[in-house]
Amino acid sequence: MSKIFRYEARRLIFNKFTAGMTLVLAFYAWQILSGEIIQGVSGTAPFSGWSFGLFAARLAPLLCITILFFISFFFSKQEERVKTITSAAPVDQKKYMFVRLAACAVCGVVMALFITVIGMVYERLLFQEAELWTMVASALTVFVPAVIFTLGIGFAAGRINQILLFVLMPLMFAFAYLPIPMACEPFGTNYFLEYPIGLTDPAFILTGEMTAGRLVFILMGIVLMIISIRSEK
């Protein structure tokens, strides 16, 4: 299975689509950093955890759409024809599904790290006061639940119909801009924008309600992944 994993991961990472999306993510990251983030968020410094968290939240929808595209490769008509052949081989289809899910997860993590590094390098070059651990904490707050939830709902939707994956893609952007309660937001955009307003101490914090919301998204993603794997025949 390790050979299959390496093959699937390379197939996702080293292709024209991934190269194109990497450029798009880099350009969008630069636009967000040099536009909205450089001014600071809700009265906080541009190098604060709140500003970096908003940067991550703005990029998260595009990251999740990229992951959904990765998942769609595995549920295309061509892949379904290949699956018909491989299903006759002595390969555990549940393990095969797990390997593909792991390959998508690795690609999603690589993309999230790429975005985070761009932001950290930008902040450190402009602001010596920027603290790496604060930036890492705010990035993890956004990317960990976003990636896990997207993997879960993506594979669950793909098993039903590949079209559902393309329906989910615009919804990812909608989640970032709809007036959703802070704890229920997949990316935490409103939390980073609204919560620091009026704070006497601008240090980045994660409230209990927000923490619970992140954990719920992580749990939902894990449950959906387990269902997708166990449902594979």
Side-chain angles (χ1 to χ4, degrees):
M1 282 296 173
S2 61
K3 289 183 179 179
I4 297 176
F5 169 76
R6 288 195 294 270
Y7 167 74
E8 296 291 4
R10 284 198 300 268
R11 192 157 69 105
L12 291 178
I13 294 174
F14 300 109
N15 63 64
K16 293 180 180 179
F17 168 78
T18 304
M21 286 306 300
T22 300
L23 292 175
V24 171
L25 283 167
F27 175 75
Y28 190 44
W30 171 260
Q31 292 294 105
I32 296 296
L33 287 166
S34 60
E36 186 175 15
I37 303 305
I38 194 68
Q39 303 174 42
V41 173
S42 302
T44 64
F47 52 83
S48 70
W50 299 105
S51 296
F52 199 82
L54 181 63
F55 160 71
R58 294 296 193 208
L59 270 293
L62 194 55
L63 170 65
C64 293
I65 288 172
T66 303
I67 294 172
L68 290 174
F69 267 115
F70 287 150
I71 296 171
S72 72
F73 296 159
F74 295 137
F75 294 99
S76 65
K77 291 182 179 179
Q78 180 180 353
E79 290 294 324
E80 288 299 318
R81 286 195 292 269
V82 172
K83 182 181 176 181
T84 303
I85 299 172
T86 58
S87 61
V91 177
D92 189 328
Q93 293 301 312
K94 290 183 173 62
K95 290 182 179 178
Y96 193 38
M97 172 67 81
F98 174 78
V99 166
R100 286 185 155 187
L101 199 155
C104 279
V106 168
C107 293
V109 169
V110 169
M111 288 292 192
L113 283 172
F114 175 69
I115 295 169
T116 304
V117 169
I118 288 177
M120 292 172 71
V121 170
Y122 180 90
E123 294 279 5
R124 289 291 290 180
L125 286 175
L126 291 184
F127 309 104
Q128 295 301 314
E129 302 92 336
E131 296 180 345
L132 295 180
W133 74 267
T134 302
M135 290 187 282
V136 170
S138 54
L140 288 174
T141 300
V142 176
F143 290 140
V144 171
V147 169
I148 293 175
F149 178 70
T150 302
L151 287 169
I153 196 172
F155 270 89
R159 289 194 75 260
I160 298 171
N161 195 309
Q162 186 194 27
I163 295 175
L164 292 178
L165 292 168
F166 299 103
V167 173
L168 285 173
M169 291 176 189
L171 287 178
M172 291 299 171
F173 271 114
F175 287 148
Y177 294 97
L178 290 174
I180 304 172
M182 292 182 190
C184 301
E185 285 185 285
F187 312 126
T189 307
N190 290 328
Y191 179 73
F192 293 108
L193 279 172
E194 298 176 10
Y195 194 82
I197 297 175
L199 287 180
T200 54
D201 182 2
F204 174 68
I205 58 172
L206 199 59
T207 63
E209 184 181 7
M210 189 64 175
T211 301
R214 302 309 88 201
L215 292 175
V216 168
F217 278 108
I218 291 172
L219 181 60
M220 285 194 297
I222 292 173
V223 169
L224 288 170
M225 283 188 273
I226 292 173
I227 292 173
S228 297
I229 293 171
R230 290 177 66 88
S231 301
E232 192 67 15
K233 298 179 181 179

